[in-house]
Amino acid sequence: MSQPPVPYDYFRTLEIPLAEELGNMFQYYGDFDREFTGARDLVRVREINPALKSFDDWLSENASKFESY
């Protein structure tokens, strides 16, 4: 079952340094996803780093390091 996304304003209320900037960053990633991710040339990135993994592959290898609640 998928969890709903965490509201951007929630990050801004955290009592940590740069909480507002963290919320702004996540909002930018969400609001401008096409521009943010579209600016990456994955073919070129894989030429630079052939060991680059997809998130799914990385998660499969590291899932045991995360706790489930």
Side-chain angles (χ1 to χ4, degrees):
M1 177 189 310
S2 177
Q3 296 290 324
V6 177
Y8 306 128
D9 284 335
Y10 173 78
F11 291 102
R12 294 181 181 106
T13 67
L14 296 174
E15 294 182 14
I16 60 172
L18 303 174
E20 185 171 351
E21 288 80 1
L22 186 66
N24 293 343
M25 177 187 70
F26 286 129
Q27 184 168 0
Y28 174 81
Y29 292 167
D31 291 353
F32 297 97
D33 179 60
R34 186 176 308 171
E35 295 83 355
F36 179 72
T37 57
R40 281 139 183 82
D41 181 350
L42 288 180
V43 171
R44 179 69 180 127
V45 171
R46 286 190 171 95
E47 288 172 0
I48 295 169
N49 181 5
L52 183 70
K53 299 176 181 176
S54 70
F55 178 73
D56 288 337
D57 289 343
W58 177 87
L59 186 58
S60 292
E61 292 177 15
N62 291 281
S64 64
K65 298 175 184 175
F66 293 91
E67 285 185 32
S68 178
Y69 291 96

